[in-house]
Amino acid sequence: DSGVTQTPKHLITATGQRVTLRCSPRSGDLSVYWYQQSLDQGLQFLIQYYNGEERAKGNILERFSAQQFPDLHSELNLSSLELGDSALYFCASSVDPSGGLGGTYEQYFGPGTRLTVT
Amino acid sequence: GQNIDQPTEMTATEGAIVQINCTYQTSGFNGLFWYQQHAGEAPTFLSYNVLDGLEEKGRFSSFLSRSKGYSYLLLKELQMKDSASYLCAVREQKYGNKLVFGAGTILRVKS
């Protein structure tokens, strides 16, 4: 158990709909990361938040957005869903000082949310 | 941008040693990570290298050569439970703690 929790575990929804995935980081971790893993794309970085602020952005679609709340939990919102959005969505957290430079600061991954769009 | 290459699949025998290679190209390097991922589960951290050389941790070791853009993960005394995907990931200096993952190497351990 990494200490990172994600809900829900599974989500089945229809095209065009909107869903919200939730993540609670390990106690004390200020950074939260979101990743998408599909069969043909591998693990793709979407976005990072550090202490409520957006820190880094990857290949995140405009239909997707995220935020980190004062209690440090994070939500990933996916809208206008398409069949191709079906994937495993992982959240990870790490200890990460302001610059993130040097040190291991390994990311601990949650169990993931499996999203199926039909 | 980054380019990370690792073999797609490897097969090895229980009790043997296997080496999984990873080559990378990056505009700014700030560490290389190896993660293990069993099918349908979360990736788990195995090792981290930022300086050249070998890091040993029990049955697992990881090596880095920054000048060659090359790393390998060495697994000794293979066990059936080591059958999993092994992900190489690079952290770029200018992007905080963002990791870029390779596609992963599926390792099958046979008896």
Side-chain angles (χ1 to χ4, degrees):
Chain A
D1 185 352
S2 68
V4 179
T5 60
Q6 289 188 248
T7 56
K9 195 169 177 62
H10 300 278
L11 201 47
I12 301 175
T13 189
T15 54
Q17 295 299 303
R18 173 190 168 95
V19 297
T20 297
L21 313 183
R22 183 189 168 101
C23 167
S24 292
R26 293 187 319 154
S27 177
D29 286 356
L30 298 181
S31 273
V32 168
Y33 314 78
W34 286 98
Y35 293 87
Q36 178 192 58
Q37 187 174 41
S38 52
L39 283 175
D40 58 345
Q41 290 289 323
L43 200 58
Q44 299 286 317
F45 170 76
L46 295 178
I47 197 163
Q48 175 196 358
Y49 277 82
Y50 171 75
N51 202 22
E53 301 284 329
E54 184 183 302
R55 169 63 58 84
K57 218 167 185 176
N59 298 324
I60 187 167
L61 300 172
E62 284 191 16
R63 301 183 285 110
F64 295 1
S65 65
Q67 53 185 327
Q68 186 179 26
F69 295 86
D71 67 352
L72 301 177
H73 91 270
S74 178
E75 293 181 356
L76 179 67
N77 300 295
L78 315 176
S79 61
S80 303
L81 285 167
E82 302 176 358
L83 295 177
D85 297 327
S86 295
L88 259 174
Y89 290 84
F90 287 106
C91 166
S93 75
S94 75
V95 173
D96 184 18
S98 59
L101 304 179
T104 308
Y105 308 125
E106 67 266 32
Q107 295 179 23
Y108 292 85
F109 283 76
T113 293
R114 183 172 293 280
L115 173 67
T116 303
V117 182
T118 61
Chain B
Q2 297 197 16
N3 191 30
I4 301 172
D5 290 314
Q6 42 182 138
T8 304
E9 293 184 17
M10 299 182 72
T11 301
T13 305
E14 194 175 16
I17 299 173
V18 70
Q19 177 174 313
I20 302 174
N21 296 325
C22 171
T23 59
Y24 64 89
Q25 294 173 321
T26 179
S27 54
F29 178 82
N30 188 25
L32 187 141
F33 294 78
W34 284 95
Y35 279 80
Q36 180 192 59
Q37 186 179 27
H38 287 97
E41 298 183 7
T44 55
F45 169 74
L46 289 178
S47 70
Y48 168 75
N49 296 72
V50 68
L51 299 176
D52 291 352
L54 189 68
E55 293 285 339
E56 298 188 77
K57 198 187 276 189
R59 293 190 299 116
F60 293 8
S61 304
S62 57
F63 172 84
L64 175 68
S65 169
R66 289 173 296 170
S67 62
K68 296 181 179 176
Y70 169 68
S71 173
Y72 67 72
L73 179 69
L74 194 71
L75 292 78
K76 304 174 190 172
E77 301 169 13
L78 280 173
Q79 302 175 10
M80 299 299 289
K81 68 177 183 180
D82 296 329
S83 294
S85 182
Y86 291 85
L87 309 175
C88 172
V90 173
R91 180 169 66 195
E92 273 190 340
Q93 190 164 21
K94 58 182 177 178
Y95 292 121
N97 205 18
K98 168 189 169 183
L99 294 181
V100 178
F101 282 84
T105 298
I106 297 173
L107 174 65
R108 294 189 174 86
V109 180
K110 60 181 184 179
S111 57

